């Protein structure tokens, strides 16, 4: 009677699964479903061909066989490995792209896994491109922030373009003074005293 009531047993909570495991399971489930669909469509095409060829419809007599095609264990492991590298944010778009290509090309059963692999590799390339773009934009923003901090750095050197004690070329000529080494078209730079 105690086994009927579960309050005396410790609550066993399922371990949290990692996002990579969830993505892998979701993508492999999609692959299995597409394999079944491709096999069903292949059976329908074969039945339609036989019906046209013989002129007799025996489809009511034939029971639908269980799924006979499955990918090899080695190929499954390779696909699971690639699936585990997919970021969860790309999972939905990847499934949509895979379904789009399956409906567009209507592949044979044995071609579905190859099509799936190409979609996975395409998604990995997109992920790498986006990571590189983010890395470059972060580098650019860091350099830009650093250069802006240098621009806001207050220098001790002050520029006085309209200072009252600036000598002009005409004054030197009139007084017959020797020219200083300073270029007269440039403003005068002075160091602040006391800083």
């Amino acid at each position: 009677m105690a086994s009927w009531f579960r309050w005396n047993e410790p609550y066993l909570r399922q371990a949290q699964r990692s996002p990579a495991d969830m993505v892998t399971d979701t993508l492999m489930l999609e692959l299995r479903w597409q394999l079944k669909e491709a096999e069903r469509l292949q059976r329908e095409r074969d039945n339609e061909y036989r019906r046209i060829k013989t002129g007799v419809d025996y489809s009511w007599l034939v029971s639908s066989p269980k799924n006979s095609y499955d990918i090899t264990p080695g190929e499954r492991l390779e696909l699971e490995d690639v699936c585990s590298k997919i970021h969860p944010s790309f999972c939905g778009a990847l499934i949509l792209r895979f379904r789009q290509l399956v409906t567009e090309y209507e592949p044979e059963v044995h071609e579905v896994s190859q099509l799936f692999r190409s979609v996975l590799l395409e998604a990995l390339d997109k992920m790498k491109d986006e990571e590189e773009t983010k890395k470059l934009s972060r580098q650019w923003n860091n350099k830009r922030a650093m250069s802006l901090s240098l621009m806001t750095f207050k220098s001790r050197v002050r520029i006085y373009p309209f200072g009252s004690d600036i000598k002009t070329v005409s004054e030197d000529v009139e007084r017959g003074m020797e020219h200083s080494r300073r270029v007269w078209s440039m403003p005068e730079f002075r160091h602040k005293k006391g800083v």
Side-chain angles (χ1 to χ4, degrees):
M1 180 126 160
S3 64
W4 293 351
F5 302 106
R6 300 280 183 213
W7 69 75
N8 60 353
E9 294 179 14
Y11 177 68
L12 297 175
R13 189 172 167 223
Q14 280 190 345
Q16 296 255 341
R17 294 179 9 181
S18 72
D21 290 341
M22 291 173 56
V23 167
T24 301
D25 291 347
T26 303
L27 293 176
M28 293 306 289
L29 184 67
E30 179 68 23
L31 174 63
R32 282 191 296 274
W33 184 77
Q34 291 294 345
L35 284 169
K36 288 178 186 177
E37 270 302 295
E39 194 167 16
R40 184 185 63 79
L41 291 173
Q42 181 65 42
R43 254 193 329 271
E44 285 179 5
R45 285 191 294 254
D46 291 345
N47 289 340
E48 186 66 28
Y49 175 73
R50 269 189 245 120
R51 189 174 320 147
I52 291 172
K53 184 179 169 187
T54 61
V56 182
D57 182 19
Y58 291 111
S59 61
W60 59 273
L61 187 58
V62 177
S63 63
S64 59
K66 293 284 184 184
N67 296 337
S68 60
Y69 183 79
D70 198 16
I71 58 176
T72 63
E75 187 177 10
R76 179 181 308 278
L77 288 174
E78 287 175 14
L79 290 173
E80 286 176 355
D81 182 48
V82 176
C83 287
S84 68
K85 296 175 184 174
I86 301 293
H87 192 270
S89 63
F90 284 85
C91 187
L94 190 142
I95 289 173
L96 290 176
R97 176 74 175 142
F98 180 51
R99 288 178 181 175
Q100 176 190 10
L101 290 177
V102 166
T103 57
E104 184 179 325
Y105 293 117
E106 296 180 3
E108 299 290 323
V109 179
H110 61 277
E111 296 172 339
V112 173
S113 62
Q114 296 167 355
L115 187 64
F116 184 65
R117 180 189 310 274
S118 68
V119 172
L120 288 173
L121 295 177
E122 180 182 315
L124 282 177
D125 288 342
K126 256 186 209 177
M127 283 176 45
K128 287 178 185 175
D129 290 344
E130 282 192 15
E131 285 177 19
E132 287 176 17
T133 303
K134 285 180 184 178
K135 182 180 175 184
L136 289 174
S137 67
R138 261 188 266 118
Q139 286 176 352
W140 171 255
N141 288 336
N142 288 343
K143 286 181 182 177
R144 189 168 168 249
M146 189 176 274
S147 67
L148 286 176
S149 67
L150 291 175
M151 286 176 57
T152 58
F153 175 72
K154 293 188 176 182
S155 173
R156 294 182 183 167
V157 177
R158 298 287 181 200
I159 301 172
Y160 299 103
F162 300 110
S164 61
D165 59 343
I166 295 177
K167 298 178 182 177
T168 62
V169 175
S170 60
E171 288 177 3
D172 287 342
V173 170
E174 290 174 1
R175 293 186 190 155
M177 294 180 66
E178 224 177 271
H179 289 290
S180 64
R181 297 178 64 193
R182 186 166 80 78
V183 177
W184 291 103
S185 64
M186 296 294 293
E188 187 174 351
F189 293 92
R190 296 186 191 163
H191 287 282
K192 234 184 187 180
K193 295 187 169 106
V195 179

